[in-house]
PDB file of all heavy atoms in Angstrom:
ATOM      1  N   GLU B  57    -176.191  63.474  38.295  1.00 83.00           N
ATOM      2  CA  GLU B  57    -175.432  62.838  39.378  1.00 83.00           C
ATOM      3  C   GLU B  57    -176.381  62.126  40.326  1.00 83.00           C
ATOM      4  O   GLU B  57    -177.335  62.707  40.811  1.00 83.00           O
ATOM      5  CB  GLU B  57    -174.589  63.875  40.127  1.00 83.00           C
ATOM      6  CG  GLU B  57    -173.348  64.242  39.337  1.00 83.00           C
ATOM      7  CD  GLU B  57    -172.241  64.846  40.205  1.00 83.00           C
ATOM      8  OE1 GLU B  57    -171.939  64.271  41.272  1.00 83.00           O
ATOM      9  OE2 GLU B  57    -171.702  65.891  39.808  1.00 83.00           O
ATOM     10  N   GLN B  58    -176.076  60.840  40.560  1.00 75.00           N
ATOM     11  CA  GLN B  58    -176.919  60.034  41.430  1.00 75.00           C
ATOM     12  C   GLN B  58    -176.151  59.579  42.654  1.00 75.00           C
ATOM     13  O   GLN B  58    -175.250  58.753  42.539  1.00 75.00           O
ATOM     14  CB  GLN B  58    -177.420  58.798  40.684  1.00 75.00           C
ATOM     15  CG  GLN B  58    -178.759  59.008  40.013  1.00 75.00           C
ATOM     16  CD  GLN B  58    -179.262  57.714  39.394  1.00 75.00           C
ATOM     17  OE1 GLN B  58    -178.736  56.641  39.664  1.00 75.00           O
ATOM     18  NE2 GLN B  58    -180.292  57.828  38.576  1.00 75.00           N
ATOM     19  N   PRO B  59    -176.540  60.102  43.841  1.00 70.00           N
ATOM     20  CA  PRO B  59    -175.921  59.583  45.057  1.00 70.00           C
ATOM     21  C   PRO B  59    -176.416  58.161  45.290  1.00 70.00           C
ATOM     22  O   PRO B  59    -177.566  57.850  44.991  1.00 70.00           O
ATOM     23  CB  PRO B  59    -176.427  60.526  46.149  1.00 70.00           C
ATOM     24  CG  PRO B  59    -177.593  61.236  45.580  1.00 70.00           C
ATOM     25  CD  PRO B  59    -177.601  61.084  44.109  1.00 70.00           C
ATOM     26  N   GLN B  60    -175.533  57.293  45.777  1.00 67.00           N
ATOM     27  CA  GLN B  60    -175.927  55.904  46.014  1.00 67.00           C
ATOM     28  C   GLN B  60    -175.624  55.506  47.459  1.00 67.00           C
ATOM     29  O   GLN B  60    -174.611  55.925  48.007  1.00 67.00           O
ATOM     30  CB  GLN B  60    -175.155  54.965  45.095  1.00 67.00           C
ATOM     31  CG  GLN B  60    -175.459  55.143  43.634  1.00 67.00           C
ATOM     32  CD  GLN B  60    -174.780  54.069  42.812  1.00 67.00           C
ATOM     33  OE1 GLN B  60    -175.404  53.206  42.246  1.00 67.00           O
ATOM     34  NE2 GLN B  60    -173.463  54.115  42.763  1.00 67.00           N
ATOM     35  N   ALA B  61    -176.467  54.693  48.026  1.00 61.00           N
ATOM     36  CA  ALA B  61    -176.216  54.204  49.388  1.00 61.00           C
ATOM     37  C   ALA B  61    -175.164  53.106  49.333  1.00 61.00           C
ATOM     38  O   ALA B  61    -175.288  52.155  48.560  1.00 61.00           O
ATOM     39  CB  ALA B  61    -177.516  53.671  49.995  1.00 61.00           C
ATOM     40  N   GLY B  62    -174.120  53.253  50.113  1.00 60.00           N
ATOM     41  CA  GLY B  62    -173.108  52.204  50.226  1.00 60.00           C
ATOM     42  C   GLY B  62    -172.125  52.138  49.070  1.00 60.00           C
ATOM     43  O   GLY B  62    -171.270  51.276  49.013  1.00 60.00           O
ATOM     44  N   LYS B  63    -172.263  53.056  48.112  1.00 66.00           N
ATOM     45  CA  LYS B  63    -171.345  53.088  46.969  1.00 66.00           C
ATOM     46  C   LYS B  63    -171.042  54.531  46.631  1.00 66.00           C
ATOM     47  O   LYS B  63    -171.826  55.420  46.968  1.00 66.00           O
ATOM     48  CB  LYS B  63    -171.994  52.420  45.751  1.00 66.00           C
ATOM     49  CG  LYS B  63    -172.110  50.930  45.834  1.00 66.00           C
ATOM     50  CD  LYS B  63    -172.807  50.428  44.579  1.00 66.00           C
ATOM     51  CE  LYS B  63    -173.221  48.980  44.728  1.00 66.00           C
ATOM     52  NZ  LYS B  63    -174.009  48.527  43.583  1.00 66.00           N
ATOM     53  N   PRO B  64    -169.959  54.785  45.950  1.00 66.00           N
ATOM     54  CA  PRO B  64    -169.682  56.171  45.522  1.00 66.00           C
ATOM     55  C   PRO B  64    -170.781  56.660  44.586  1.00 66.00           C
ATOM     56  O   PRO B  64    -171.455  55.853  43.942  1.00 66.00           O
ATOM     57  CB  PRO B  64    -168.347  56.046  44.776  1.00 66.00           C
ATOM     58  CG  PRO B  64    -167.751  54.760  45.219  1.00 66.00           C
ATOM     59  CD  PRO B  64    -168.892  53.866  45.563  1.00 66.00           C
ATOM     60  N   ASP B  65    -170.947  57.977  44.519  1.00 75.00           N
ATOM     61  CA  ASP B  65    -171.924  58.562  43.598  1.00 75.00           C
ATOM     62  C   ASP B  65    -171.582  58.170  42.164  1.00 75.00           C
ATOM     63  O   ASP B  65    -170.455  57.898  41.841  1.00 75.00           O
ATOM     64  CB  ASP B  65    -171.882  60.101  43.685  1.00 75.00           C
ATOM     65  CG  ASP B  65    -172.282  60.575  45.067  1.00 75.00           C
ATOM     66  OD1 ASP B  65    -172.679  59.723  45.893  1.00 75.00           O
ATOM     67  OD2 ASP B  65    -172.182  61.780  45.315  1.00 75.00           O
ATOM     68  N   LYS B  66    -172.618  58.148  41.307  1.00 87.00           N
ATOM     69  CA  LYS B  66    -172.329  57.916  39.900  1.00 87.00           C
ATOM     70  C   LYS B  66    -172.967  59.001  39.042  1.00 87.00           C
ATOM     71  O   LYS B  66    -173.953  59.635  39.425  1.00 87.00           O
ATOM     72  CB  LYS B  66    -172.782  56.524  39.452  1.00 87.00           C
ATOM     73  CG  LYS B  66    -174.250  56.231  39.653  1.00 87.00           C
ATOM     74  CD  LYS B  66    -174.717  55.118  38.737  1.00 87.00           C
ATOM     75  CE  LYS B  66    -174.443  53.734  39.247  1.00 87.00           C
ATOM     76  NZ  LYS B  66    -175.046  52.697  38.382  1.00 87.00           N
ATOM     77  N   LYS B  67    -172.360  59.218  37.888  1.00 93.00           N
ATOM     78  CA  LYS B  67    -172.900  60.178  36.927  1.00 93.00           C
ATOM     79  C   LYS B  67    -173.608  59.393  35.840  1.00 93.00           C
ATOM     80  O   LYS B  67    -172.962  58.702  35.048  1.00 93.00           O
ATOM     81  CB  LYS B  67    -171.767  61.000  36.310  1.00 93.00           C
ATOM     82  CG  LYS B  67    -171.048  61.890  37.299  1.00 93.00           C
ATOM     83  CD  LYS B  67    -169.977  62.693  36.587  1.00 93.00           C
ATOM     84  CE  LYS B  67    -169.203  63.545  37.574  1.00 93.00           C
ATOM     85  NZ  LYS B  67    -168.030  64.203  36.935  1.00 93.00           N
ATOM     86  N   VAL B  68    -174.932  59.509  35.813  1.00 94.00           N
ATOM     87  CA  VAL B  68    -175.707  58.746  34.840  1.00 94.00           C
ATOM     88  C   VAL B  68    -175.938  59.588  33.584  1.00 94.00           C
ATOM     89  O   VAL B  68    -176.485  60.689  33.658  1.00 94.00           O
ATOM     90  CB  VAL B  68    -177.058  58.293  35.440  1.00 94.00           C
ATOM     91  CG1 VAL B  68    -177.888  57.583  34.388  1.00 94.00           C
ATOM     92  CG2 VAL B  68    -176.813  57.372  36.629  1.00 94.00           C
ATOM     93  N   TYR B  69    -175.494  59.072  32.474  1.00 96.00           N
ATOM     94  CA  TYR B  69    -175.619  59.776  31.194  1.00 96.00           C
ATOM     95  C   TYR B  69    -176.773  59.220  30.369  1.00 96.00           C
ATOM     96  O   TYR B  69    -177.044  58.021  30.399  1.00 96.00           O
ATOM     97  CB  TYR B  69    -174.331  59.635  30.384  1.00 96.00           C
ATOM     98  CG  TYR B  69    -173.135  60.328  30.988  1.00 96.00           C
ATOM     99  CD1 TYR B  69    -172.288  59.676  31.870  1.00 96.00           C
ATOM    100  CD2 TYR B  69    -172.863  61.663  30.663  1.00 96.00           C
ATOM    101  CE1 TYR B  69    -171.180  60.310  32.411  1.00 96.00           C
ATOM    102  CE2 TYR B  69    -171.770  62.308  31.200  1.00 96.00           C
ATOM    103  CZ  TYR B  69    -170.924  61.633  32.075  1.00 96.00           C
ATOM    104  OH  TYR B  69    -169.846  62.275  32.611  1.00 96.00           O
ATOM    105  N   SER B  70    -177.445  60.115  29.643  1.00 95.00           N
ATOM    106  CA  SER B  70    -178.479  59.672  28.704  1.00 95.00           C
ATOM    107  C   SER B  70    -178.450  60.568  27.468  1.00 95.00           C
ATOM    108  O   SER B  70    -177.928  61.682  27.520  1.00 95.00           O
ATOM    109  CB  SER B  70    -179.848  59.724  29.370  1.00 95.00           C
ATOM    110  OG  SER B  70    -180.063  61.011  29.908  1.00 95.00           O
ATOM    111  N   LEU B  71    -179.005  60.088  26.362  1.00 96.00           N
ATOM    112  CA  LEU B  71    -178.942  60.839  25.108  1.00 96.00           C
ATOM    113  C   LEU B  71    -179.830  62.079  25.141  1.00 96.00           C
ATOM    114  O   LEU B  71    -180.953  62.023  25.640  1.00 96.00           O
ATOM    115  CB  LEU B  71    -179.393  59.975  23.927  1.00 96.00           C
ATOM    116  CG  LEU B  71    -178.593  58.765  23.506  1.00 96.00           C
ATOM    117  CD1 LEU B  71    -178.638  58.608  21.991  1.00 96.00           C
ATOM    118  CD2 LEU B  71    -177.171  58.815  23.965  1.00 96.00           C
ATOM    119  N   THR B  72    -179.342  63.154  24.587  1.00 96.00           N
ATOM    120  CA  THR B  72    -180.193  64.308  24.298  1.00 96.00           C
ATOM    121  C   THR B  72    -180.805  64.080  22.917  1.00 96.00           C
ATOM    122  O   THR B  72    -180.431  63.142  22.219  1.00 96.00           O
ATOM    123  CB  THR B  72    -179.364  65.599  24.246  1.00 96.00           C
ATOM    124  OG1 THR B  72    -178.399  65.466  23.201  1.00 96.00           O
ATOM    125  CG2 THR B  72    -178.636  65.850  25.569  1.00 96.00           C
ATOM    126  N   ASP B  73    -181.729  64.940  22.518  1.00 96.00           N
ATOM    127  CA  ASP B  73    -182.303  64.825  21.173  1.00 96.00           C
ATOM    128  C   ASP B  73    -181.209  64.940  20.120  1.00 96.00           C
ATOM    129  O   ASP B  73    -181.212  64.223  19.121  1.00 96.00           O
ATOM    130  CB  ASP B  73    -183.357  65.926  20.946  1.00 96.00           C
ATOM    131  CG  ASP B  73    -184.614  65.657  21.770  1.00 96.00           C
ATOM    132  OD1 ASP B  73    -184.794  64.498  22.207  1.00 96.00           O
ATOM    133  OD2 ASP B  73    -185.406  66.594  21.997  1.00 96.00           O
ATOM    134  N   LYS B  74    -180.270  65.844  20.403  1.00 95.00           N
ATOM    135  CA  LYS B  74    -179.146  66.025  19.485  1.00 95.00           C
ATOM    136  C   LYS B  74    -178.330  64.736  19.364  1.00 95.00           C
ATOM    137  O   LYS B  74    -177.896  64.360  18.277  1.00 95.00           O
ATOM    138  CB  LYS B  74    -178.257  67.173  19.989  1.00 95.00           C
ATOM    139  CG  LYS B  74    -177.331  67.766  18.958  1.00 95.00           C
ATOM    140  CD  LYS B  74    -176.511  68.926  19.546  1.00 95.00           C
ATOM    141  CE  LYS B  74    -175.308  69.245  18.672  1.00 95.00           C
ATOM    142  NZ  LYS B  74    -174.381  70.191  19.346  1.00 95.00           N
ATOM    143  N   GLY B  75    -178.151  64.066  20.500  1.00 95.00           N
ATOM    144  CA  GLY B  75    -177.417  62.806  20.515  1.00 95.00           C
ATOM    145  C   GLY B  75    -178.113  61.732  19.700  1.00 95.00           C
ATOM    146  O   GLY B  75    -177.475  61.004  18.929  1.00 95.00           O
ATOM    147  N   ARG B  76    -179.439  61.665  19.862  1.00 95.00           N
ATOM    148  CA  ARG B  76    -180.217  60.665  19.124  1.00 95.00           C
ATOM    149  C   ARG B  76    -180.140  60.947  17.622  1.00 95.00           C
ATOM    150  O   ARG B  76    -179.968  60.021  16.822  1.00 95.00           O
ATOM    151  CB  ARG B  76    -181.675  60.671  19.587  1.00 95.00           C
ATOM    152  CG  ARG B  76    -182.110  59.388  20.290  1.00 95.00           C
ATOM    153  CD  ARG B  76    -183.560  59.469  20.738  1.00 95.00           C
ATOM    154  NE  ARG B  76    -183.778  60.607  21.635  1.00 95.00           N
ATOM    155  CZ  ARG B  76    -183.551  60.564  22.949  1.00 95.00           C
ATOM    156  NH1 ARG B  76    -183.132  59.453  23.518  1.00 95.00           N
ATOM    157  NH2 ARG B  76    -183.743  61.632  23.699  1.00 95.00           N
ATOM    158  N   ALA B  77    -180.206  62.221  17.272  1.00 95.00           N
ATOM    159  CA  ALA B  77    -180.136  62.602  15.857  1.00 95.00           C
ATOM    160  C   ALA B  77    -178.776  62.214  15.277  1.00 95.00           C
ATOM    161  O   ALA B  77    -178.691  61.656  14.179  1.00 95.00           O
ATOM    162  CB  ALA B  77    -180.368  64.103  15.711  1.00 95.00           C
ATOM    163  N   GLU B  78    -177.729  62.512  16.039  1.00 94.00           N
ATOM    164  CA  GLU B  78    -176.360  62.185  15.613  1.00 94.00           C
ATOM    165  C   GLU B  78    -176.206  60.687  15.365  1.00 94.00           C
ATOM    166  O   GLU B  78    -175.638  60.259  14.368  1.00 94.00           O
ATOM    167  CB  GLU B  78    -175.376  62.643  16.705  1.00 94.00           C
ATOM    168  CG  GLU B  78    -173.945  62.180  16.542  1.00 94.00           C
ATOM    169  CD  GLU B  78    -173.070  63.149  15.778  1.00 94.00           C
ATOM    170  OE1 GLU B  78    -173.569  64.233  15.403  1.00 94.00           O
ATOM    171  OE2 GLU B  78    -171.885  62.819  15.563  1.00 94.00           O
TER     172      GLU B  78
END
Side-chain angles (χ1 to χ4, degrees):
Chain B
E57 283 201 47
Q58 268 185 13
Q60 295 187 111
K63 288 178 192 174
D65 297 355
K66 58 158 83 174
K67 295 182 183 172
V68 176
Y69 293 90
S70 53
L71 294 215
T72 61
D73 289 342
K74 199 179 163 190
R76 246 179 302 276
E78 170 92 3

